[in-house]
Amino acid sequence: MNVTVLVSTRKGLFRLAGKNGNWAIEQVDFLGDNVTLTLTDHRSGRHYAALDHGHFGVKLHRSTTTGWEEVAAPAYPPKPAGVEENDMWGRPLAWSTARIWALQAGGADEPGVIWCGTLPGGLFRSTDHGDSWEIVRSLWDHPKRKQWMGGGADLPGIHSILVDPRNSKRVWVAVSTGGIWFTEDSGASWSQRGDGMRAEYAPPELTHDPIAQDVHCLAQCLAAPERMWVQHHNGIFVSSDEGATFNEIAGVEPSTFGFAVVVHPREPDTAWFVPETKDEKRIPRDGRVVVTRTRDGGKSFDILTNGLPQRDAYDIVYRHAMAIDASGNRLAFGSTTGGLWVSEDQGDSWSGVTHTLPPIHAVRFA
Amino acid sequence: MAKVVFTKNIQRHVVCPETEVPGSSVREILDNVFTANPQARSYVLDDQAALRRHMTIFVDGRAIRDRQRLSDSITSTSTVYVFQALSGG
């Protein structure tokens, strides 16, 4: 069986191909350019690649039968005259796409719909496969949106978008930092979710405020959408009620700090994380890259090391840089130092594909 | 007609040939350029139509002052260079 993984890096989009357990880079697109994220829309078969050209701004490309074409990147509407809004540093907030941080296809019943999360916090929706975009004003204009803050970046951003597989009008987004937001009317109105999370970096009166939560990544079990997993700035949290409430999973070795989380598509109790020494250092503990896996909803975790570097390794795995395929058996992740690993047995063993890619932003099964 | 020259580095993303266009301000000049070459607009201007943070424009050897409204004056003999700022890395 042929499997393709799209690896977004600081210096290009690398296409990893796997056949009968052998993995190799078979193609490079946008070589030299900063590719920050991809989406494969399985409804249309098209791939999308977000690029950040720095000087020239954020761009979006869509695959064709022969290559790629540039399509419109989400753009903020004109800032109305007289509107003054500063970021958390007191600087005027630019209504301008600073990064594409989330791309998600809509439901099977709404072909052409694509959601896009950005820095500085705008959520966009396309109904024409990305030919055009419209900002979701109900969320951008929500008075509490101005309480969102930067987390990992100077500006707040939407990094996770989940579309309910049972009803595509129901969508969750997660913000770093700004917690989890939910719509059940395709974005016409929004409510905050995420009671039970805890922000140890916030003052006591805000510790349990859902808007103060720095969700690093939000993942959902496709077969049991009520089950959600959060890799948070200071821990792991799990929800069994569609993100309304969360319970903290504490005491996981070697750490509960990290960025990425993936959940098995059919087994809601099974999830994977890539732990790092919290928060001040952000390196693997003792120079060992490990993946942690729970199969019982967080009661216990396996520390998976087979095939992963166990000394002198300082790989960091960003929030979009781990992925699981539809089978639930195959996982892949990539690191800031250009390491790329694949497992075909749910993480029991890993194959190191390369250690020399540019810094990896995102890994996605195509 | 003012002459407008774009940085070589933009050319591999979107072709921006040297051109001559009318206009009495940087805004008018660029509007005329981008009317003919709409794909180039977002490579130079941000969502609010201000000059991108790490871009710079020189008019007759002087960096423009108004990066938001692009109101710096242009004459019919001006040469306008649209460059990358070194600040962008």
Side-chain angles (χ1 to χ4, degrees):
Chain A
M1 180 181 178
N2 294 336
V3 179
T4 300
V5 182
L6 298 178
V7 183
S8 303
T9 83
R10 180 70 181 81
K11 293 293 178 182
L13 176 62
F14 293 79
R15 197 176 293 236
L16 174 68
K19 189 173 184 180
N20 301 323
N22 296 312
W23 294 89
I25 304 291
E26 69 168 12
Q27 186 174 328
V28 187
D29 293 317
F30 309 111
L31 184 61
D33 292 329
N34 187 16
V35 182
T36 56
L37 189 62
T38 65
L39 165 71
T40 296
D41 183 350
H42 294 285
R43 301 165 305 175
S44 67
R46 301 187 208 199
H47 308 300
Y48 294 80
L51 277 67
D52 183 353
H53 287 309
H55 298 84
F56 305 130
V58 170
K59 310 299 175 202
L60 186 64
H61 293 250
R62 183 176 61 199
S63 66
T64 68
T65 54
T66 56
W68 295 90
E69 60 180 345
E70 184 176 344
V71 294
Y76 284 67
K79 193 175 189 176
V83 170
E84 292 186 15
E85 181 180 0
N86 291 336
D87 65 17
M88 63 186 291
W89 315 107
R91 301 174 298 207
L93 180 74
W95 285 27
S96 197
T97 300
R99 186 186 304 171
I100 289 175
W101 219 15
L103 286 167
Q104 180 64 48
D109 60 334
E110 47 182 13
V113 169
I114 299 174
W115 297 87
C116 178
T118 68
L119 274 66
L123 177 69
F124 291 81
R125 188 170 186 264
S126 173
T127 58
D128 52 13
H129 303 277
D131 286 333
S132 64
W133 296 89
E134 190 165 346
I135 194 168
V136 178
R137 289 303 301 237
S138 53
L139 189 57
W140 182 247
D141 293 337
H142 197 291
K144 283 199 162 187
R145 194 267 304 165
K146 293 183 179 178
Q147 295 179 34
W148 296 0
M149 297 191 294
D154 281 0
L155 299 167
I158 294 172
H159 52 70
S160 299
I161 302 172
L162 306 175
V163 177
D164 193 329
R166 303 160 301 187
N167 178 352
S168 54
K169 290 183 167 56
R170 307 177 81 240
V171 177
W172 295 259
V173 302
V175 185
S176 182
T177 66
I180 297 169
W181 292 79
F182 173 64
T183 179
E184 47 192 345
D185 48 21
S186 296
S189 61
W190 295 86
S191 58
Q192 175 102 58
R193 292 270 167 135
D195 285 333
M197 288 192 285
R198 176 181 64 86
E200 67 183 24
Y201 45 81
E205 56 270 26
L206 292 177
T207 298
H208 296 286
D209 189 331
I211 206 169
Q213 306 307 317
D214 184 8
V215 176
H216 281 183
C217 190
L218 172 67
Q220 182 179 41
C221 178
L222 290 176
E226 68 278 8
R227 172 58 57 84
M228 293 182 177
W229 290 88
V230 159
Q231 175 63 69
H232 182 285
H233 188 89
N234 54 256
I236 293 170
F237 297 86
V238 62
S239 172
S240 298
D241 56 8
E242 301 184 334
T245 61
F246 282 85
N247 292 317
E248 184 166 10
I249 309 295
V252 181
E253 290 295 324
S255 170
T256 57
F257 180 85
F259 293 98
V261 53
V262 295
V263 56
H264 191 287
R266 292 179 303 283
E267 299 173 10
D269 287 344
T270 301
W272 292 259
F273 304 82
V274 187
E276 295 155 12
T277 300
K278 80 160 188 87
D279 141 34
E280 316 72 43
K281 292 190 174 179
R282 307 188 180 192
I283 51 175
R285 195 168 87 179
D286 302 326
R288 302 168 64 218
V289 175
V290 306
V291 172
T292 52
R293 177 186 63 201
T294 180
R295 293 188 186 278
D296 54 14
K299 296 184 182 69
S300 65
F301 282 77
D302 304 313
I303 300 176
L304 309 171
T305 64
N306 186 5
L308 300 176
Q310 295 302 293
R311 57 170 292 179
D312 304 326
Y314 298 98
D315 301 76
I316 299 298
V317 178
Y318 283 158
R319 71 197 76 218
H320 299 124
M322 181 163 64
I324 188 167
D325 78 347
S327 76
N329 294 323
R330 191 175 289 114
L331 294 98
F333 72 94
S335 77
T336 52
T337 44
L340 181 63
W341 295 270
V342 180
S343 172
E344 306 208 48
D345 54 13
Q346 299 196 344
D348 287 337
S349 63
W350 296 88
S351 298
V353 177
T354 173
H355 303 279
T356 55
L357 285 181
I360 293 172
H361 300 303
V363 172
R364 291 288 183 260
F365 285 94
Chain B
M1 299 281 270
K3 183 168 78 172
V4 185
V5 182
F6 286 85
T7 170
K8 288 179 184 173
N9 291 329
I10 204 172
Q11 307 294 338
R12 72 184 180 91
H13 303 296
V14 54
V15 175
C16 296
E18 182 178 318
T19 185
E20 293 193 351
V21 291
S24 61
S25 68
V26 173
R27 173 71 73 198
E28 290 181 14
I29 291 285
L30 290 184
D31 280 348
N32 285 329
V33 171
F34 296 143
T35 296
N37 188 2
Q39 193 188 356
R41 180 185 296 272
S42 75
Y43 282 77
V44 178
L45 304 180
D46 69 15
D47 298 4
Q48 302 302 311
L51 187 61
R52 285 199 174 279
R53 183 180 173 199
H54 293 300
M55 295 294 286
T56 186
I57 294 177
F58 291 89
V59 177
D60 298 327
R62 288 184 298 107
I64 65 168
R65 296 297 178 187
D66 183 0
R67 300 174 57 89
Q68 301 296 318
R69 293 181 295 125
L70 308 178
S71 61
D72 290 58
S73 297
I74 302 286
T75 71
S76 60
T77 59
S78 289
T79 301
V80 178
Y81 285 95
V82 181
F83 275 10
Q84 295 160 279
L86 293 180
S87 58

